[in-house]
Amino acid sequence: MTDKSSNQMWGGRFAAGPDAIMEAINASIGFDKRLAAQDIAGSRAHAAMLAAAGIVSDKDAEAMREGLLTVLSEIEEGRFAFSTALEDIHMNVEARLKEIIGDPAGRLHTGRSRNDQVATDFKLWVRDQLDAVDGALVTLMRACLAQAEAGADWVMPGFTHLQTAQPVTWGHHMMAYVEMFGRDLGRVRDARKRMNECPLGAAALAGTSFPIDRQMTAEALGFDRPAANSLDAVSDRDFALEFLGAASICAMHLSRFAEELVIWSSAQFRFVSLSDRFSTGSSIMPQKKNPDAAELIRAKIGRIFGANVALMTVMKGLPLAYSKDMQEDKEQVFDAADNLMLALAAMDGMVRDMTANKDNLRAAAASGFSTATDLADWLVRVLGLPFREAHHVTGSLVALAEGKGCDLPDLSLADMQSVHGEITEAVYDVLGVENSVASRTSYGGTAPVRVREQVQRWKEILG
Ligand code: ARG
């Protein structure tokens, strides 16, 4: 005899119900309720297929499909009583279906298992997230493009080692992020393409002896095809890991951008003003306007990296096929997805609202001997010096200017000639930052003409 407290879905061989601690460690309903819509879509597709294949009657399938919609609306309207004893979303939904439609509900689980069911539900969820991230990335890229277009020829310092290196344009700097987010978009789209195979019908691990039509369920759920190996279909979570991998790289890009915004908005730099809408004040220092959104983007990235490492670790030692360890996949992905979407939206808001301080950018670009390379190039081009010698002469001129407390264009011609006698007045043309950026016309360079071409190219790509 089965104990009354044993599980109503699988308790046939059990004489007693689970210990409270067993129930606590085993249940996933606390988090996998987020898969409700996907679970119900999967079950509705499965029910329709069972009828089409003659495995259940049309009448039963119709009752299941209708009943499942009722369950969905109960969940969506917050009227559904989730039960921990029923472990997860799959059994909660099925048990409720039984209450609503009675016996036909018991036929729904023909030719499938929770193993292919959960893999299908989770794939559908991850696929939706990939699409959401895709949209958010495009939105953010448009915000960067607008900044780039407005400031295609605004001059700012370009850094290496966070030391002034050479002048670049604001537009060029913004477009660097468009390239990064563009690759993130590519990764998201690649992942979606690769993952779009349907596990449903793989059953527990070996397939089923029922004459199911996997093509039909795959199509109904928007998959490109059914997964070709039932063991693989129920036991890999590489699709979730690809999502986390792509999310991690994107998050890394967001974090670098966030770091730049923190630096740029500081009183020492004043390259940008962030809008009030994306800043906070201090409760004690009235002058403060803090870039909290940027800081939180920078920090949240840790959770996304963490999720990636956590799920890799869950998966790495599992023998085929399904193991309960894999239930630990969901919370990591949910948290990473939520935080990535939040970070993308916050970055989009900040970029849209921020004002670049053109004059400060220009002034900073002109300091720190930023056109020293232009000077060295001039010595090569006009005086025919070998680059090594030109580098040395320029270094001496920088030292001279530094000693005088001025910048390179402030040195007199006599000062210049004291270091190299053949230098002429014409050198001053290349010492200006506008000329410097305008001269960098090589493909991918910072010249405003090149930047505008890239803005145009990306506008066409994004449509
Ligand atoms: N809640 C489970 C999970 O998320 C569903 C699959 C359970 N399968 C099983 N054989 N116990 O992985």
Side-chain angles (χ1 to χ4, degrees):
M1 262 317 283
T2 303
D3 184 283
K4 269 211 297 296
S5 61
S6 74
N7 189 292
Q8 68 180 89
M9 308 300 280
W10 46 246
R13 81 186 298 287
F14 285 78
D19 187 272
I21 295 296
M22 179 59 209
E23 197 167 289
I25 196 171
N26 196 35
S28 54
I29 188 62
F31 47 88
D32 69 14
K33 55 170 82 141
R34 283 187 74 167
L35 300 177
Q38 289 76 12
D39 191 69
I40 287 169
S43 288
R44 295 188 78 240
H46 186 68
M49 181 279 291
L50 289 176
I55 299 166
V56 304
S57 69
D58 287 345
K59 190 165 150 281
D60 283 354
E62 211 28 60
M64 291 181 220
R65 285 170 55 78
E66 276 305 305
L68 284 163
L69 286 183
T70 308
V71 178
L72 181 62
S73 54
E74 287 179 2
I75 293 174
E76 283 175 350
E77 289 157 23
R79 291 186 284 119
F80 191 95
F82 291 103
S83 149
T84 312
L86 287 166
E87 289 183 27
D88 57 25
I89 186 63
H90 324 292
M91 299 207 293
N92 269 269
V93 168
E94 196 185 318
R96 179 69 188 127
L97 183 66
K98 175 111 195 288
E99 287 171 6
I100 299 170
I101 68 167
D103 286 343
R107 300 190 187 278
L108 175 61
H109 215 51
T110 316
R112 75 169 188 189
S113 142
R114 269 190 297 158
N115 296 349
D116 57 337
Q117 195 178 351
V118 71
T120 305
D121 296 359
F122 196 33
K123 261 197 176 180
L124 290 171
W125 196 91
V126 170
R127 196 176 70 186
D128 283 350
Q129 282 306 304
L130 287 168
D131 291 343
V133 171
D134 186 315
L137 272 169
V138 170
T139 304
L140 172 57
M141 288 168 78
R142 287 192 210 284
C144 296
L145 276 173
Q147 285 286 352
E149 194 164 32
D153 57 4
W154 300 349
V155 184
M156 69 181 283
F159 299 95
T160 59
H161 315 265
L162 197 55
Q163 310 285 321
T164 300
Q166 294 173 352
V168 295
T169 49
W170 171 259
H172 199 49
H173 202 117
M174 290 298 119
M175 291 308 290
Y177 282 104
V178 170
E179 292 292 333
M180 292 179 238
F181 295 137
R183 287 192 296 277
D184 291 335
L185 193 60
R187 270 180 282 276
V188 162
R189 290 179 181 177
D190 287 349
R192 191 194 196 284
K193 232 181 279 162
R194 201 164 14 256
M195 64 98 78
N196 207 26
E197 297 184 336
C198 186
L200 194 59
L205 74 167
T208 174
S209 57
F210 289 100
I212 59 172
D213 181 349
R214 292 195 56 206
Q215 198 67 46
M216 180 178 168
T217 41
E219 250 168 58
L221 295 169
F223 287 103
D224 295 330
R225 63 192 80 86
N229 182 299
S230 61
L231 286 168
D232 170 51
V234 293
S235 72
D236 207 353
R237 293 293 181 267
D238 60 349
F239 65 90
L241 286 166
E242 274 203 68
F243 172 74
L244 292 176
S248 293
I249 296 174
C250 176
M252 175 276 293
H253 288 147
L254 287 170
S255 182
R256 295 186 74 178
F257 201 177
E259 166 70 1
E260 296 209 302
L261 295 183
V262 171
I263 295 173
W264 291 353
S265 62
S266 69
Q268 288 69 28
F269 271 73
R270 294 204 292 154
F271 283 7
V272 298
S273 312
L274 299 175
S275 76
D276 289 354
R277 300 189 327 134
F278 285 94
S279 310
T280 61
S282 155
S283 55
I284 179 166
M285 297 167 283
Q287 86 284 11
K288 292 291 286 277
K289 188 168 147 186
N290 295 326
D292 294 41
E295 295 167 88
L296 286 163
I297 290 171
R298 197 172 56 183
K300 277 185 180 300
I301 270 39
R303 311 162 68 124
I304 299 173
F305 291 1
N308 196 16
V309 173
L311 186 52
M312 279 286 197
T313 312
V314 165
M315 295 304 297
K316 74 165 186 61
L318 297 184
L320 304 189
Y322 178 87
S323 295
K324 195 62 169 264
D325 310 50
M326 288 158 68
Q327 180 164 283
E328 287 291 309
D329 56 2
K330 287 173 261 318
E331 281 174 294
Q332 300 296 342
V333 173
F334 292 161
D335 186 74
D338 291 345
N339 283 287
L340 180 65
M341 287 302 289
L342 195 53
L344 283 165
M347 184 57 87
D348 175 62
M350 272 193 299
V351 172
R352 251 163 233 284
D353 279 15
M354 79 181 167
T355 320
N357 190 330
K358 203 180 151 185
D359 296 338
N360 288 348
L361 290 173
R362 166 79 178 63
S367 71
F369 314 108
S370 67
T371 52
T373 313
D374 299 85
L375 173 51
D377 288 349
W378 185 87
L379 294 170
V380 171
R381 208 172 44 244
V382 179
L383 302 188
L385 301 191
F387 184 78
R388 281 291 152 224
E389 193 186 334
H391 186 285
H392 192 79
V393 169
T394 307
S396 305
L397 286 165
V398 166
L400 185 64
E402 200 165 35
K404 288 178 176 274
C406 69
D407 274 304
L408 283 172
D410 307 323
L411 289 175
S412 68
L413 186 59
D415 287 337
M416 296 268 189
Q417 289 173 342
S418 73
V419 175
H420 196 287
E422 291 171 49
I423 297 178
T424 66
E425 199 66 50
V427 77
Y428 290 97
D429 288 346
V430 300
L431 297 182
V433 290
E434 277 78 16
N435 287 343
S436 169
V437 296
S439 73
R440 297 219 151 71
T441 53
S442 54
Y443 180 79
T446 198
V449 307
R450 292 289 95 87
V451 172
R452 291 195 177 100
E453 283 167 9
Q454 290 302 322
V455 169
Q456 217 28 58
R457 182 173 77 87
W458 274 105
K459 277 185 166 176
E460 279 158 28
I461 292 172
L462 297 181

